[in-house]
Amino acid sequence: MPKDSVLIVGGGPAGLEAARGVADLGKKAILVEARDELGGTPYASSYATLTPDLRDTEEEMAGLLGDVRKHPLVDLRLGTRVVKSEGREGEFRVTLAGADGAQVEEEVGAVIIATGFQHFDPGRETQMYGYYEYDDVITLVDAEKMMKQGKIVRPSTGEPPERVAFIQCVGSRDRQIGNKYCSKVCCGIASKQSIEIKRMLPNAKVFIFYIDMRMYGFWEDQIYWKAQEEYKVNYVRGIVTEIIRKGDRLLVKGEDTTMGRPVEVLMDMVILSVGMEPSRGTIEMSRIFNIPREDHGFLATQGGPLDTVSTPVPGIFVAGAAAGPKDLEDSISMGGAAAMKAVALLNRLQRVSVG
């Protein structure tokens, strides 16, 4: 008989939704998370609010986390990693290792990989933005942590900035470093953060330097126009080529591509909109489960736009940013789809074995 349980690897939004879905459909869900807490990147990176509606992260995710923690069919394994896998759909034998090194083998019928992404390291941009050189050059993640604490200050002085610049597409849409794709959420997150900065510091001037602003769906109305019209955020179409220190401020050099002329502006703080890359966990799961990676390094799927969660390995599914840049809505939707397909597979295999 095929095994009647599903292994979910990763306890972020996609993995949580997958575990809840599998359990609600009546199958046992073994949820494995390498960290000591659930929540994935929104928790590990201290996201203050979620895009696009600016609702508190912990309040918004509390329901999902509660459902998973209390569900009788969810077997939660924190501080645990997958180190080995054998078998095939219906009868995978997976070895799990705890933080103490102890290993245990589990038999499952299907697997869902939800190992997420990692943020791009802006130091790889040959330091053209001075991330490791200037204290007042930070990333979206650094800014989000500040907002979690309820304040925006210049790291160099501890004082509120008067002029703040966002630089888009850092680590995305860049063939020179190998990331030829758009990370999808960075424009929206920068716009969301610009609104939050203006709420905290109404007199601050906020600029967003962009190649193209890529808003989709309702984000255009929810945050893009709102940032401009209600909060007077300045969007500048241009390419930033260098940041240097001038006195106690940062001189941002580049080109205003709309006007076709060079631009140099002084800023108190610069926020780099860093993109998404495959996480170490995603790369490791590719190796352990023999899942091919697509051209950009994320886990490959085989169904195109009509099946976003089935990998080329029968019985193994993927959800969320392990399959490429995704926003929260994408991740939750994929988690639910992966749960449905995994349970459907188990039911089909059981019918075949009985028949």
Side-chain angles (χ1 to χ4, degrees):
M1 289 286 291
K3 305 306 175 184
D4 201 29
S5 58
V6 179
L7 175 72
I8 298 102
V9 187
L16 290 167
E17 181 63 18
R20 179 169 66 177
V22 167
D24 282 347
L25 289 169
K27 303 297 183 183
K28 180 181 178 181
I30 302 174
L31 178 57
V32 172
E33 168 54 52
R35 300 185 180 101
D36 292 327
E37 69 170 354
L38 295 173
T41 300
Y43 273 56
S45 295
S46 300
Y47 288 6
T49 58
L50 300 178
T51 309
D53 50 13
L54 282 73
R55 294 180 183 176
D56 182 88
T57 299
E58 293 185 13
E59 291 180 5
E60 286 299 290
M61 291 189 62
L64 177 56
L65 286 162
D67 288 347
V68 169
R69 288 185 178 124
K70 69 185 181 184
H71 204 297
L73 289 178
V74 175
D75 181 356
L76 181 58
R77 313 281 183 93
L78 295 177
T80 303
R81 296 179 180 275
V82 177
V83 295
K84 185 179 179 182
S85 175
E86 297 176 334
R88 57 189 179 87
E89 62 175 354
E91 48 186 41
F92 291 105
R93 294 178 299 281
V94 182
T95 303
L96 308 178
D100 59 359
Q103 296 188 356
V104 61
E105 187 176 276
E106 296 288 347
E107 295 184 338
V108 298
V111 179
I112 298 173
I113 308 297
T115 42
F117 71 97
Q118 66 184 25
H119 296 99
F120 176 80
D121 178 2
R124 283 173 52 196
E125 288 274 27
T126 64
Q127 278 301 87
M128 62 186 293
Y129 298 130
Y131 179 66
Y132 291 112
E133 186 175 359
Y134 307 128
D135 291 340
D136 294 330
V137 178
I138 65 174
T139 67
L140 289 176
V141 184
D142 301 322
E144 199 71 32
K145 290 178 180 177
M146 288 188 189
M147 293 170 186
K148 186 80 170 180
Q149 298 171 356
K151 61 181 180 180
I152 289 289
V153 297
R154 296 178 64 184
S156 65
T157 65
E159 297 296 322
E162 295 179 2
R163 295 170 64 86
V164 179
F166 288 84
I167 299 176
Q168 300 307 109
C169 297
V170 178
S172 303
R173 303 178 66 193
D174 190 335
R175 294 186 176 186
Q176 292 184 344
I177 62 171
N179 292 353
K180 298 179 285 186
Y181 52 87
C182 169
S183 288
K184 192 171 187 178
V185 302
C186 316
C187 289
I189 293 173
S191 295
K192 181 210 74 151
Q193 287 191 359
S194 72
I195 292 172
E196 291 174 304
I197 291 173
K198 290 292 289 185
R199 286 179 174 178
M200 294 178 186
L201 305 171
N203 294 324
K205 293 187 180 298
V206 180
F207 301 80
I208 297 180
F209 290 88
Y210 68 95
I211 301 173
D212 305 289
M213 288 307 293
R214 294 189 167 185
M215 300 287 175
Y216 57 96
F218 299 143
W219 285 25
E220 181 90 9
D221 185 53
Q222 289 171 317
I223 45 181
Y224 176 63
W225 291 115
K226 186 175 184 179
Q228 291 185 74
E229 296 173 351
E230 294 185 29
Y231 293 92
K232 310 306 178 186
V233 173
N234 301 283
Y235 286 79
V236 181
R237 186 171 188 177
I239 299 173
V240 174
T241 56
E242 185 181 18
I243 296 175
I244 61 173
R245 179 166 294 283
K246 187 171 184 179
D248 64 347
R249 304 177 87 179
L250 298 168
L251 181 64
V252 177
K253 295 184 176 183
E255 179 186 2
D256 183 328
T257 55
T258 299
M259 302 298 293
R261 63 188 183 189
V263 60
E264 293 187 1
V265 288
L266 286 171
M267 294 290 161
D268 296 310
M269 190 162 73
V270 173
I271 302 174
L272 307 178
S273 292
V274 290
M276 296 183 180
E277 292 186 317
S279 70
R280 289 189 295 272
T282 295
I283 295 170
E284 186 69 1
M285 291 308 101
S286 170
R287 181 187 65 81
I288 289 173
F289 289 100
N290 293 315
I291 306 170
R293 293 163 63 194
E294 47 82 64
D295 292 343
H296 305 102
F298 296 92
L299 298 186
T301 57
Q302 64 174 5
L306 298 182
D307 181 357
T308 59
V309 299
S310 295
T311 75
V313 181
I316 299 182
F317 306 91
V318 62
K326 302 286 184 289
D327 69 359
L328 187 59
E329 294 172 73
D330 292 336
S331 297
I332 293 294
S333 298
M334 289 180 72
M340 181 273 293
K341 285 187 175 291
V343 171
L345 170 67
L346 298 189
N347 289 339
R348 185 167 61 252
L349 292 175
Q350 288 168 351
R351 288 195 301 269
V352 171
S353 65
V354 171

